[in-house]
Amino acid sequence: MAPALTGCGTGAGGSKKITLVAAEYGDGKPANSSKRYWDSVARTFEGDHKGVKVSVEVYSWTEVDKKVADMVAAGNAPDIAQIGAYADFAAAGKLYSADQLLSVPTQADFIDSIAAAGEVHRMQYGLPFVSSTRLLFYNKTLFEKAGVLRAPQSWDELQAAASKLKDAGVKMPFGLPLGPEEAPAESLLWMLGAGGGYTDKNDDYVINSHENVQAFTWLRDELVGKKLTGSDPARTNRQDVFDAFCKGQVGMLNGHPSLMQQAEAGGIKYGMAPLPGISGKAKSTMGVADWLMAFKQNGHRKEIGQFLDFVYGTQTVLDFTTQYGLLPVTQSASDQMQKDGQNKKLLPFLEPLQNAVFYPANKTSWAKVSKTIKEKIGQAVQPGGDPMGVLSEIQTQAQSVESPH
């Protein structure tokens, strides 16, 4: 997607210009572009703050992270970036901390679980922008055909339901995308279901923990080994599974809010339920957040702070999340969404957010670890695969990039 650029000018009378580089959440149509949202926010803000101009650039997700990294490397950092990761910039001392920018009420309004995911050494540098959680989606028509009476609450029930779906001729009883697009997310969901995760309470990697090995051994033996995934998980991407679900070919899968719109467009009757865990409902789900961060380079701390306080206003947050089917990161917007009739469909995703577990995005090593997971984790669930061996290999690599050189 070609970048959409706008220069708002420096204005008369010595007004200050701050620059924002943001990611595109739209589907390529101008009416749905994030550019429209940010331009509207910038214009409203400028009306209230006569001495500040806001220049906005929006890029597709495939290029925005690299664009910002290149700008920073060239000594031309934007004042604000809205991208996927902040830890490298924070570790390099390039970012303002939240308490240097935001008013106390704005800081206090962040949902705790998400704010904590923005911390490096207990100092918040990543300002959450939007979030989402995951639920189990299932095809009601296929469940009825297979004689499955309700959504599974445990892994045993999930396996039993998948077996019935297979017997009823369903092409993909459970969609398991452990291919490169979504492997770190899908893996974390299963780890959490077994009581595991990527890191422990001390924020150390524990990728080859007993719980995680148990999760992948179960997947290998009970789903993949019994041919209940309909495809090789290591070669299956999330969008492939979403597309197949929307054609009525998938019985169950783990999904995020945008799958609702896609399924409805495909005429699929679907249900949603909490994620099953090893012996009952999983205690937590995965949360995903995208981040805002503010660079020190141009010294515009006061103006950036004013703009971000405005961005985190309740209605400004809801305008964005409502448009794209995402979850708000502030308590005030969450409360408003719960009162608001038009966002009822998102409420099942909102509730688990308080206890959601996020990627260890505060670690500068996470980008490399995530890449390794994408390349290797699918091997753990292959027939004859070695979950302990694969997870231990990823753990060893994680520790090597984590330790200072």
Side-chain angles (χ1 to χ4, degrees), residues 136-152 156-175 223 226-230 245 248-253 269:
L136 180 77
F137 281 70
Y138 58 95
N139 183 314
K140 289 182 172 180
T141 307
L142 296 180
F143 264 41
E144 200 173 311
K145 180 183 170 190
V148 181
L149 302 179
R150 65 180 174 95
D156 284 348
E157 288 182 11
L158 185 147
Q159 196 267 5
S163 295
K164 285 184 175 180
L165 288 160
K166 184 187 175 199
D167 292 344
V170 175
K171 189 173 174 183
M172 191 179 280
F174 191 95
L223 279 190
K226 293 184 175 172
K227 297 187 165 46
L228 299 177
T229 59
F245 185 77
Q249 298 168 351
V250 179
M252 299 173 279
L253 75 167
K269 283 188 191 169

Side-chain angles (χ1 to χ4, degrees), residues 237-286:
N237 280 329
R238 177 192 65 189
Q239 196 56 53
D240 301 334
V241 176
F242 276 21
D243 290 346
F245 185 77
C246 298
K247 291 175 186 163
Q249 298 168 351
V250 179
M252 299 173 279
L253 75 167
N254 297 321
H256 55 60
S258 71
L259 182 55
M260 293 190 294
Q261 292 170 328
Q262 293 176 40
E264 282 157 21
I268 301 298
K269 283 188 191 169
Y270 65 90
M272 301 184 300
L275 297 178
I278 197 163
S279 56
K281 287 181 191 171
K283 291 184 175 60
S284 54
T285 186
M286 181 188 77

Side-chain angles (χ1 to χ4, degrees), residues 127-332:
L127 311 178
F129 177 58
V130 289
S131 64
S132 71
T133 56
R134 303 292 161 98
L135 293 173
L136 180 77
F137 281 70
Y138 58 95
N139 183 314
K140 289 182 172 180
T141 307
L142 296 180
F143 264 41
E144 200 173 311
K145 180 183 170 190
V148 181
L149 302 179
R150 65 180 174 95
Q153 296 186 358
S154 68
W155 288 358
D156 284 348
E157 288 182 11
L158 185 147
Q159 196 267 5
S163 295
K164 285 184 175 180
L165 288 160
K166 184 187 175 199
D167 292 344
V170 175
K171 189 173 174 183
M172 191 179 280
F174 191 95
L176 186 66
L178 291 173
E181 181 189 4
E182 187 73 345
E186 188 71 21
S187 298
L188 181 55
L189 292 170
W190 291 97
M191 290 173 177
L192 292 171
Y198 286 125
T199 55
D200 62 15
K201 286 176 183 169
N202 299 321
D203 206 29
D204 294 323
Y205 284 116
V206 287
I207 293 166
N208 62 343
S209 69
H210 168 73
E211 293 84 359
N212 293 347
V213 172
Q214 196 176 10
F216 281 89
T217 303
W218 188 90
L219 286 171
R220 179 195 67 187
D221 296 344
E222 299 300 325
L223 279 190
V224 183
K226 293 184 175 172
K227 297 187 165 46
L228 299 177
T229 59
S231 67
D232 175 3
R235 296 165 185 263
T236 304
N237 280 329
R238 177 192 65 189
Q239 196 56 53
D240 301 334
V241 176
F242 276 21
D243 290 346
F245 185 77
C246 298
K247 291 175 186 163
Q249 298 168 351
V250 179
M252 299 173 279
L253 75 167
N254 297 321
H256 55 60
S258 71
L259 182 55
M260 293 190 294
Q261 292 170 328
Q262 293 176 40
E264 282 157 21
I268 301 298
K269 283 188 191 169
Y270 65 90
M272 301 184 300
L275 297 178
I278 197 163
S279 56
K281 287 181 191 171
K283 291 184 175 60
S284 54
T285 186
M286 181 188 77
V288 177
D290 298 328
W291 303 96
L292 277 164
M293 61 215 69
F295 288 88
K296 293 177 181 174
Q297 185 184 322
N298 303 316
H300 294 155
R301 180 166 76 97
K302 180 185 163 197
E303 293 78 18
I304 295 168
Q306 289 173 333
F307 182 67
L308 291 175
D309 272 334
F310 181 78
V311 166
Y312 284 109
T314 303
Q315 194 53 51
T316 313
V317 170
L318 284 173
D319 286 346
F320 192 88
T321 54
T322 301
Q323 182 172 354
Y324 296 110
L326 294 160
L327 302 179
V329 296
T330 61
Q331 197 59 56
S332 60

